[in-house]
């Protein structure tokens, strides 16, 4: 076989591979996205839905109940007007908060002063059910970004 024929065969193989990659990759990526869910590097992290100790509705106990929101991406994300909601529709709306890359913010239930690491819902009652609940994070367009559920079946 001549070197010209080998070069043509190799070029054809490379071109076919490129066409196949552009055809297959979007279909594969689509299988990982849930319908109606926006893609975002921001996700729900750890959740402390049952504050340690006695549930006495003290501000300390309320603030020991929290949800982490984590930016797993390489760019900062402004969380202004994003919401975090429980199954009973208690809703926390973020103010202007720029979440840096690879950083997290804890959303506490009780009263406190907002910082870049901790924000407060300023509630005087618990939000997250100790037995069964769902946390839903939505962006400023109302699209679901992430959900986390917990609980016992049959309870």
């Amino acid at each position: 076989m001549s070197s010209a024929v080998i070069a043509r065969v190799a070029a054809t193989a490379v071109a076919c591979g490129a066409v196949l990659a552009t055809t297959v990759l979007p279909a594969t990526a689509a299988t990982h996205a849930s319908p109606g869910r926006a893609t975002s590097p921001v996700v729900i992290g750890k959740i402390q839905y049952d504050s340690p100790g006695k549930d006495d509705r003290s501000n300390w106990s309320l603030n020991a109940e929290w949800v982490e929101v984590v930016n797993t991406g390489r760019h900062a994300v402004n969380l202004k007007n994003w919401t975090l909601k429980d199954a009973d529709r208690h809703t926390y709306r973020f103010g202007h908060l720029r979440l840096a890359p690879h950083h997290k913010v804890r959303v506490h239930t009780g009263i406190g002063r907002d910082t870049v690491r901790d924000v407060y819902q300023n509630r005087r009652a618990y939000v997250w059910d100790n037995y069964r609940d769902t946390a839903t994070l939505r962006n400023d367009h109302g699209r679901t970004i992430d959900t986390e559920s917990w609980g016992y079946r049959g309870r």
Side-chain angles (χ1 to χ4, degrees):
M1 215 185 254
S2 72
S3 60
V5 171
I6 292 173
R8 271 190 246 137
V9 169
T12 301
V14 168
C16 288
V19 169
L20 183 61
T22 59
T23 303
V24 172
L25 286 178
T28 303
T31 62
H32 293 286
S34 299
R37 200 170 272 201
T39 58
S40 173
V42 179
V43 296
I44 295 173
K46 294 178 183 176
I47 300 174
Q48 178 67 45
Y49 54 83
D50 185 5
S51 61
K54 185 178 178 187
D55 288 346
D56 60 6
R57 291 180 105 177
S58 67
N59 197 50
W60 180 90
S61 181
L62 290 168
N63 282 331
E65 179 181 85
W66 46 259
V67 175
E68 285 182 345
V69 176
V70 183
N71 182 356
T72 64
R74 296 183 303 169
H75 303 286
V77 176
N78 188 351
L79 298 181
K80 184 176 182 181
N81 291 324
W82 286 45
T83 59
L84 182 64
K85 188 181 293 191
D86 76 334
D88 291 326
R89 299 184 179 243
H90 296 105
T91 303
Y92 172 75
R93 183 174 303 278
F94 286 87
H96 178 73
L97 176 69
R98 184 178 158 100
L99 189 57
H102 306 291
H103 280 77
K104 61 188 170 191
V105 62
R106 279 190 179 172
V107 181
H108 299 272
T109 298
I111 298 168
R113 186 172 179 195
D114 292 350
T115 67
V116 294
R117 293 181 193 262
D118 297 279
V119 294
Y120 299 85
Q121 297 189 49
N122 295 321
R123 295 182 181 274
R124 297 187 188 276
Y126 297 99
V127 171
W128 307 107
D129 191 302
N130 293 351
Y131 300 105
R132 177 177 49 227
D133 212 338
T134 299
T136 302
L137 180 67
R138 289 193 169 94
N139 68 12
D140 55 341
H141 299 291
R143 291 182 140 174
T144 299
I145 299 300
D146 197 12
T147 60
E148 289 293 330
S149 296
W150 61 91
Y152 304 110
R153 293 181 191 258
R155 220 175 154 179

